[in-house]
Amino acid sequence: MKLTDFESAMLAGEFGEPRRQAMQQLVSVGSFFDAGDMVEVSQAHIMGDTESLGESGVRYLEALAAYPEEQRRVAVPTLTDPRGVDQAKYRGLKQRSSSAFLELRAVSALRSLGILMTDTCINYQTFQAPIPGQHVAFGDTGVVIYTNSICAARSNFEGGPAALAAALTGRTPRYGYHLDGNRRGTCLFELDFEPADFAEWGALGALIGSQAGSYWAVPVVQLKATPSSDDLKHFGAAMASYGSVALFHLPGITPEAPDVASVFDGPPPGTHLLRRDAIETYYRSFERHEDRVDVVVFAAPQLSLLEIQQLAELLEGRRVHEHTALVVATNPEVKAAADRLGITGIIEEAGGMLLSGVCFYQMYARELGQANGWVRLLTNSAKLCNIITGYGYRPAIAPMEVCVDAAIRGRM
Amino acid sequence: MEDRVFYGHVGIGKKVSGVALVAKDNFSARYDLDREKGLFSRSSHRLHGESYVGKIVILETAKGGVATAWMLAEMKSRGMAPAGLVLNLSNPVIAQGAAFAELSFIDRFAVDITSVVRSGELVTLNPQSGCLVVHAERTWTESSAGM
């Protein structure tokens, strides 16, 4: 790879060991993907929950935190993905105190690197959405696909170590979605229906992601509907989860796709027509928990303030069944707004729990389920359905209204 | 029977040998594994119930999720990682995780690698040359790993 003098100096250790290690990792990954050089990034976003980090990852962060400040501080504004524990609520969820302690150690180390502990996978809805053409190094696949597709900024999926390396150096290898040529459409989808709610948007993303099938596919989707930010959040997060897809185009809606013809090199490929019955088939691929629902989860991605308001309106004046838990996850900023606006109180009076700075599947989900006896899980998140079976749950998916009704009745 | 040799893209990590664990399915450490027990835990995964520890795991492509990048190093720190990983096509997260964990890894072969190697075969993975050797012998020796 061609490196600038500054990048070569970082690689030689002239700016300290943390930046040397970071550059070494970036060069290794860049060489793997045949990157010609590095690109400067203006922001980073790091996934670093302790279930993923483990003891070894936390020790790695603590070792970085022990270096002098001028060597360890990140070079660009850097945000964090959700954590594994809500320190105010973990005891009520029967999470281990050892997990909470490991989280405190990780947070302390990350803070000492100058990282902003935003603990969110909806930074684009909460803090600052990137602008078209901006190069960033974001973790969380839902964040990346929204950043690339809706914001028309440029990021690859950056796993925690790579995002941290980008944060320390202000660089990432120039490959994948930093390059114009990889942002062209590769497959075309058309719908004969309009998704009706977040669950259907997620299901649609799941179907397209599954068909697209790889990180390097760029689906182009012709919509009849005009989606909201939350619709596209569920759509993109599910597509990224099921297909490892990092970019899609919506002709007439997303910035890089004024029309179908302009996003393909050459004539558009044949159209995959998706009918509503494909959504119903997707729903039927999961069980229906007609005897009992153990836990109803609204998360993955974290909820926006508008989603939480909608949920609170459905819960107001009702009471969650004694055998069922209702768990909602958002970030600290949205939680504070919900507290201030009286929305949290409505959810809690109904027996629900609004968690801050976490997301369900990142919360030591296996231990969480075992400690609380949660197996039959209901959610409106297709992304969560895809992830959570590996943790021993039996998920089902339904619209928010159906999920709330099931939480009240204790069954679907 | 002679050794079969397959070339992919130059990869990441050191030369390593082990028993292959192969499936026409995809990979995510978060979605698919019980990392405490060292098993594929996702019920719909074609390797469900199989131990991956110390094996050369050969699969199709990466699933979504960025957690694998930290998790490979965490698994390795406890001696609960695969010996190596081979995919037909990687995404950035697996490559980043392999680089961080110093886990041997290759992708981008001229053939569908999941269809030409069988579980239980002895293989040697050489990321520096992008080479995967499937040994004819059932027992690996230094001489049989020459590439």
Side-chain angles (χ1 to χ4, degrees), chain A residues 173-191:
Chain A
R174 194 190 304 272
Y175 71 98
Y177 292 105
H178 294 285
L179 298 172
D180 290 344
N182 292 330
R183 300 179 68 88
R184 311 291 290 157
T186 63
C187 47
L188 180 60
F189 294 86
E190 191 176 347
L191 316 182

Side-chain angles (χ1 to χ4, degrees), chain B residues 5-9 106-111 113 129-132 147:
Chain B
V5 182
F6 302 97
Y7 283 94
H9 193 278
I106 300 180
D107 78 339
R108 285 167 283 176
F109 294 84
V111 297
I113 199 68
S129 59
C131 180
L132 180 74
M147 285 182 279

Side-chain angles (χ1 to χ4, degrees), chain A residues 142-399:
Chain A
V143 170
V144 173
I145 196 169
Y146 197 102
T147 294
N148 277 328
S149 310
I150 315 305
C151 305
R154 296 179 172 221
S155 181
N156 286 311
F157 287 174
E158 299 286 3
L164 181 54
L168 286 164
T169 60
R171 303 289 191 280
T172 193
R174 194 190 304 272
Y175 71 98
Y177 292 105
H178 294 285
L179 298 172
D180 290 344
N182 292 330
R183 300 179 68 88
R184 311 291 290 157
T186 63
C187 47
L188 180 60
F189 294 86
E190 191 176 347
L191 316 182
D192 76 344
F193 67 99
E194 295 182 12
D197 50 53
F198 302 139
E200 287 199 359
W201 279 104
L204 179 62
L207 293 169
I208 292 172
S210 298
Q211 287 196 40
S214 102
Y215 181 78
W216 309 98
V218 181
V220 178
V221 187
Q222 292 185 283
L223 295 178
K224 297 178 187 302
T226 302
S228 70
S229 172
D230 284 327
D231 292 335
L232 293 180
K233 176 174 73 173
H234 283 273
F235 177 65
M239 196 187 302
S241 176
Y242 276 83
S244 189
V245 173
L247 168 66
F248 61 83
H249 297 300
L250 307 176
I253 297 173
T254 55
E256 292 177 69
D259 51 53
V260 172
S262 62
V263 286
F264 288 104
D265 291 326
T271 303
H272 300 274
L273 180 63
L274 287 169
R275 302 181 189 281
R276 177 172 289 283
D277 58 11
I279 300 286
E280 288 157 8
T281 301
Y282 170 79
Y283 276 30
R284 284 198 299 273
S285 70
F286 300 98
E287 332 177 30
R288 279 184 59 82
H289 300 311
E290 294 181 347
D291 294 333
R292 176 168 174 155
V293 174
D294 300 320
V295 60
V296 175
V297 180
F298 296 101
Q302 290 176 330
L303 273 66
S304 70
L305 186 62
L306 303 190
E307 286 178 289
I308 294 177
Q309 182 191 35
Q310 185 180 341
L311 176 62
E313 286 172 356
L314 292 167
L315 282 167
E316 189 159 18
R318 304 169 82 185
R319 185 73 196 168
V320 173
H321 194 276
E322 60 180 330
H323 294 145
T324 302
L326 188 145
V327 178
V328 188
T330 191
N331 65 33
E333 272 58 44
V334 171
K335 170 68 164 46
D339 291 350
R340 181 169 55 82
L341 297 167
I343 298 170
T344 306
I346 295 169
I347 294 169
E348 291 180 345
E349 280 172 27
M353 187 178 282
L354 180 56
L355 303 177
S356 174
V358 293
C359 200
F360 189 82
Y361 68 89
Q362 291 171 294
M363 296 173 59
Y364 298 87
R366 185 184 309 281
E367 291 84 352
L368 189 64
Q370 289 168 349
N372 291 282
W374 295 341
V375 177
R376 287 156 291 204
L377 180 149
L378 179 61
T379 181
N380 69 341
S381 164
K383 173 176 178 172
L384 184 61
C385 284
N386 190 35
I387 296 171
I388 210 68
T389 55
Y391 284 105
Y393 293 78
R394 289 160 40 198
I397 184 167

Side-chain angles (χ1 to χ4, degrees), chain A residues 25 28-29 31-34 46-49 51-57 60-61 81 138-141 156-164 175 213-216 240-244 361-363 366-367 383 385-392, chain B residues 9-13 26 28-37 39-44 61-78 89-102 105-108:
Chain A
Q25 271 189 66
S28 178
V29 173
S31 300
F32 183 85
F33 287 112
D34 302 319
I46 296 178
M47 199 284 289
D49 63 75
E51 192 216 333
S52 306
L53 285 164
E55 175 70 28
S56 67
Y60 173 77
L61 295 177
D81 209 35
F138 283 176
D140 190 293
T141 57
N156 286 311
F157 287 174
E158 299 286 3
L164 181 54
Y175 71 98
S214 102
Y215 181 78
W216 309 98
S241 176
Y242 276 83
S244 189
Y361 68 89
Q362 291 171 294
M363 296 173 59
R366 185 184 309 281
E367 291 84 352
K383 173 176 178 172
C385 284
N386 190 35
I387 296 171
I388 210 68
T389 55
Y391 284 105
Chain B
H9 193 278
V10 170
I12 289 169
N26 301 329
S28 163
R30 187 185 307 267
Y31 292 19
D32 295 325
L33 306 184
D34 182 334
R35 289 170 290 117
E36 288 300 314
K37 294 178 180 169
L39 301 173
F40 278 86
S41 60
R42 185 182 182 85
S43 56
S44 60
T61 187
K63 291 181 179 174
V66 298
T68 301
W70 286 122
M71 286 176 173
L72 291 178
E74 190 278 330
M75 290 152 64
K76 195 171 175 184
S77 76
R78 291 182 293 110
L89 188 62
S90 182
N91 75 357
V93 175
I94 306 290
Q96 294 157 0
F100 182 63
E102 298 180 345
F105 176 50
I106 300 180
D107 78 339
R108 285 167 283 176

